[in-house]
Amino acid sequence: MFTGIIEELGTIRKIGGGSLTIAARTVLTDARIGDSIAVNGVCLTVTRFDAGSFTADVMPETVRRTSFDGLHPGAVVNLERAVAVGTRLGGHIVSGHIDGTGDVTAIGREGNAVLITVAAALNLLRGIVEKGSVALEGISLTVAAVDDQTFTVSLIPHTLEVTNLHTKKKGSRVNIETDVIGKYVERLLRMPGSSEQVEPQTETGLTEAFLRNCGF
């Protein structure tokens, strides 16, 4: 599990043949074989490491689901170690399992903030709500606006400085992970006969009794 608070920027050294090697420092200070590190929001397992880099295997499914096919040697990536018990959860619960990708459609400024708008598929947008949380490239962000085609996040200068979002431009593809709690709620709402005591769903598919009987 991760929090979406990026610890450092790494640089791709090698990629291909089912693995990638990333130059890093901070995430290696307590690294062990088998540790989980989120790379642009994708949970990967450390298979080798030395003082200045680590290597992880990448499955074909991972490449299909993420923006990894666009990575190349020299590319800058966001890195975060798995959360340790007892630390502060500064972002939100992030699993490191990417739901899909989106394309940056606009980048603008509002005061000291940078607004990034991303176009995404409807199945992703269903799990994104205004003022809710979303992980973009592994970064925990708050949704500023959402419609039936895009969503917008607002970045403070610090986030732009310490993550790879400053390298993005219109047309860039980005990894998206929607809020895990929302996924379970949607799954419950879509499952027929999930409880014998559940009363018929309303037009919106949600009633107080339905949520109560499902444990909410």
Side-chain angles (χ1 to χ4, degrees):
M1 187 179 77
F2 306 91
T3 67
I5 303 300
I6 305 306
E7 295 188 87
E8 71 170 319
L9 293 175
T11 304
I12 301 293
R13 280 188 177 175
K14 299 178 184 176
I15 185 168
S19 70
L20 78 167
T21 300
I22 300 172
R25 293 203 174 275
T26 301
V27 299
L28 297 175
T29 55
D30 57 355
R32 295 176 299 178
I33 301 298
D35 279 356
S36 295
I37 296 178
V39 178
N40 280 358
V42 183
C43 179
L44 298 179
T45 301
V46 176
T47 57
R48 296 191 304 276
F49 70 93
D50 55 32
S53 67
F54 70 93
T55 297
D57 293 333
V58 180
M59 299 181 295
E61 170 70 1
T62 301
V63 176
R64 283 194 296 269
R65 290 269 188 167
T66 71
S67 61
F68 272 15
D69 61 354
L71 293 179
H72 54 82
V76 177
V77 292
N78 297 318
L79 302 177
E80 181 192 355
R81 289 170 289 187
V83 65
V85 175
T87 59
R88 294 182 178 87
L89 297 178
H92 71 284
I93 298 173
V94 178
S95 70
H97 302 154
I98 302 302
D99 294 303
T101 61
D103 297 310
V104 175
T105 60
I107 300 176
R109 287 191 173 273
E110 184 179 41
N112 68 335
V114 172
L115 302 176
I116 297 181
T117 299
V118 179
L122 184 59
N123 67 305
L124 296 177
L125 292 170
R126 278 202 303 264
I128 299 174
V129 298
E130 187 173 333
K131 303 307 176 186
S133 296
V134 65
L136 199 63
E137 291 287 278
I139 307 160
S140 175
L141 298 170
T142 301
V143 179
V146 62
D147 57 33
D148 59 356
Q149 293 184 318
T150 65
F151 67 94
T152 299
V153 292
S154 182
L155 281 63
I156 61 173
H158 175 76
T159 302
L160 199 65
E161 179 183 351
V162 301
T163 72
N164 71 351
L165 289 183
H166 68 269
T167 68
K168 304 303 178 183
K169 56 187 178 180
K170 188 174 180 179
S172 293
R173 194 148 55 99
V174 290
N175 293 323
I176 300 170
E177 181 185 335
T178 59
D179 185 65
V180 66
I181 296 175
K183 294 175 191 174
Y184 283 107
V185 172
E186 181 183 11
R187 175 64 172 166
L188 283 170
L189 293 174
R190 291 167 68 88
M191 285 186 66
S194 57
S195 169
E196 292 182 359
Q197 299 179 358
V198 174
E199 58 184 46
Q201 296 182 26
T202 64
E203 187 177 12
T204 63
L206 183 66
T207 67
E208 181 180 348
F210 179 85
L211 291 175
R212 185 165 51 247
N213 286 322
C214 290
F216 291 93

